[in-house]
Amino acid sequence: MKIVARIIAAMLFVLFFGFALKNAHEVSLKFFLEYEWHGPLVLLLLAFFVAGAAFGVLAMTPTVLRHRREISRQKNAIGALQKESEAQQTARTHTPRPDGVAN
């Protein structure tokens, strides 16, 4: 399975490397206030892809943290219920002694 994954990774690398070689010409990106940035097309595409991925991760962070907190609360509740269940089991297995009997 690792070999198949490595072969696919190598094929994707060759594909993207060929894409980069074919799109190496200079382009200009124009912003507001007459600001202009010149660079290779492939670098601009890579920069915007990375920025989009970073914004996606930042957008998912609150949801992930909320789910982690909820999982932690649920684990704590399960632990408390298990302790309570064990205490009830031990209470059932031990027979109560009469009040007048001393050890």
Side-chain angles (χ1 to χ4, degrees):
M1 190 65 183
K2 284 186 178 184
I3 293 175
V4 173
R6 288 182 189 245
I7 290 172
I8 291 172
M11 289 172 53
L12 285 174
F13 175 77
V14 169
L15 179 76
F16 291 141
F17 188 72
F19 177 76
L21 288 177
K22 289 287 186 182
N23 292 296
H25 59 280
E26 189 84 12
V27 294
S28 64
L29 182 64
K30 297 178 183 176
F31 294 99
F32 295 106
L33 302 175
E34 300 300 321
Y35 182 71
E36 194 171 337
W37 191 47
H38 297 278
L41 176 62
V42 79
L43 287 181
L44 288 174
L45 289 173
L46 178 65
F48 280 98
F49 174 77
V50 169
F55 282 131
V57 168
L58 286 175
M60 289 297 298
T61 301
T63 304
V64 170
L65 293 177
R66 188 177 331 117
H67 286 164
R68 284 187 181 178
R69 280 194 309 267
E70 183 64 27
I71 289 170
S72 177
R73 281 190 215 123
Q74 295 294 332
K75 283 183 180 179
N76 290 340
I78 289 171
L81 289 173
Q82 285 176 341
K83 285 181 184 178
E84 184 180 324
S85 174
E86 289 171 3
Q88 288 176 356
Q89 286 288 352
T90 57
R92 281 189 215 139
T93 57
H94 290 100
T95 58
R97 297 195 177 163
D99 292 334
V101 178
N103 286 337

